[in-house]
Each structure stands twice: as C-alpha cells, then as structure tokens.
DNA sequence: CAGGATCCGTTATGATACTG
DNA sequence: CAGTATCATAACGGATCCTG
C-alpha cells in the first residue's frame, strides 16, 4: 500500500473505525472501572449512578460487540454476570491515560 | 488532594471534562487535518465531503469554544477564514496518536 | 439480580436553499 | 467564500415497568 492521501483519510484512517467506540457516552468510564478488575453488573451500576440500567446495558453490549470487554454469564439463580476487559480492552488503557494527561493540561489552561 | 475514590470518578475525573470534546463526531478528524497546517473553511470542507457545511461549522465553533482551534477572520471581500490548532490543540495530538495505535491493534484483531 | 421492553423528549445530524 | 436558515429525520438518553 502506498501513502494515504489526505482526501482518503476520513474513509481509510483507522481512527474512524474505532470512533464509534470512543464516542459512547460512558465507554471510557466503564473501561476505567474494569481496568481495576472484573465487576458484576450491579457493582458497575452502583459506581455509575448517573447511568440508567438500560443505558448501561446498551453500552456494555456495544463494548462487548466490539470486543473491548468480555461478558461472562453464570447460569445460576439469581443470575450473575461478570464483565472484564479483553486483551483489546487492556490495550485501550494507554489511550485513556493520554487523554487523562490532556485533560489535566486542559484544566490548567482554563485558569 | 487525596486519593480519588472510585465512586467519585465519574464526577471528578478529568476525562469527563473533556469527553464532550472528544465525542464530537468529526473533532478528531478536524484536529488531524489542522495538525498538518492552517486551513481555510473551504479547504477543510473539501477534505471532509461527508460533512455538511452546517455541521462542519458547528463542530468548528465547538472546538473554538473549547480552545482547541483558533479561528482567524480576515475582513476582506470575498471573506477569508483560517483555522489552526491552538497550543492546547497541538497537545491533543498524542491522544490522536495513541488512539491510532489502538485502532491498528483493533483492525488486526478482527482478522 | 440482570437486563429486556417500551415510551418519549432532547440532541445530533442531514439535505437543501439562501446571503453578506 | 464562508457561512445561515429552515425543515426533516435519526440517534441518544432517561424514566418506568416487566421477567426468567
């Protein structure tokens, strides 16, 4: 493959393929929490009280579909579902970190 | 400041303050293009044919408001407006880079 | 307990036409 | 050239109730 022209960037650039993942309102927060270890749905939900269960479910399903997190269902009563980062999810942590660094720069700038 | 508890993350974490910037559908693409140099509205618009002028304007205004880009208006006829990255915008480039790295990992994973 | 289903208002985005 | 204005639609986000 040759050099990518600027004109093709929007179509071909890798970022556009993952943008829909990053754009989820809670994806990064979810990844952050799961970076500290496996969590059950209820635990995650309690850490993010602003998010309704319906929306949390939606985001989790999206992250699962994109293979950022893993969903383990235990066939028990009462039901038990655990979420954890996949390998791909772990590899996302540097992105989270660099964004955090920028966020700090951003806050400094506001003063 | 002491350690941030997990429970406070969503409210206090720096990321939430910049999330709305990152979440813009075209913000990262705009920043990418401007990282290569100043561009006029029309030039940028031609590089992103998927985006309507109206929406491009909105995103540019948002990025300007958040001080990621600078908007220079020349009082001429015909009008001329140039966009460029601010210092803060330049500092965002590592984030873009780390996301790109992850995106490449992501594509590999799909095979 | 985990999350599915539904309703519904708010944003986001798009197409198109128009203007200083 | 660099937008605005208008209208229409789609996606998002929240609240509420339901179920294996």
């Amino acid at each position: 493959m040759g050099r990518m022209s600027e004109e093709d960037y929007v179509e071909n650039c890798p970022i556009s393929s993952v943008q829909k993942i990053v754009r989820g309102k809670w994806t990064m927060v979810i990844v952050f929490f799961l970076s500290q270890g496996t969590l059950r749905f209820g635990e995650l939900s309690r850490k993010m009280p602003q998010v309704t269960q319906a929306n949390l479910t939606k985001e989790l399903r999206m992250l699962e579909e994109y293979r950022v997190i893993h969903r383990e269902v235990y066939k028990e009563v009462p039901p038990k579902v655990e979420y954890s980062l996949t390998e791909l999810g772990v590899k996302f942590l540097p992105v989270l970190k660099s964004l955090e660094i920028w966020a700090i720069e951003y806050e400094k700038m506001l003063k």
Side-chain angles (χ1 to χ4, degrees), chain A:
Chain A
M1 265 185 288
R3 233 178 69 69
M4 183 172 64
S5 76
E6 291 179 5
E7 281 66 22
D8 296 334
Y9 179 83
V10 177
E11 289 301 332
N12 297 334
C13 119
I15 286 185
S16 54
S17 70
V18 299
Q19 198 191 21
K20 54 187 173 306
I21 305 173
V22 180
R23 284 193 74 207
K25 186 164 185 179
W26 304 106
T27 48
M28 297 202 275
V29 181
I30 291 171
V31 171
F32 168 79
F33 280 130
L34 293 181
S35 74
Q36 307 179 340
T38 298
L39 287 176
R40 295 183 61 172
F41 181 85
E43 295 173 315
L44 204 48
S45 186
R46 257 170 275 121
K47 286 175 187 293
M48 305 166 67
Q50 309 89 331
V51 194
T52 61
Q53 291 193 337
N55 287 331
L56 182 56
T57 299
K58 279 183 205 167
E59 296 255 325
L60 287 168
R61 288 296 149 85
M62 186 198 70
L63 286 173
E64 186 193 2
E65 189 191 330
Y66 293 135
R67 305 207 229 160
V68 176
I69 64 173
H70 172 69
R71 179 168 177 261
E72 185 74 40
V73 183
Y74 297 87
K75 304 210 172 195
E76 308 172 356
V77 177
K80 176 178 169 185
V81 180
E82 285 187 343
Y83 294 93
S84 56
L85 291 188
T86 61
E87 195 186 338
L88 191 57
V90 172
K91 283 179 178 162
F92 183 76
L93 296 177
V95 178
L96 211 59
K97 189 65 192 167
S98 72
L99 199 70
E100 210 169 302
I101 291 169
W102 187 67
I104 290 165
E105 283 294 331
Y106 180 75
E107 308 236 308
K108 256 195 253 170
M109 205 68 89
L110 292 187
K111 292 164 194 168

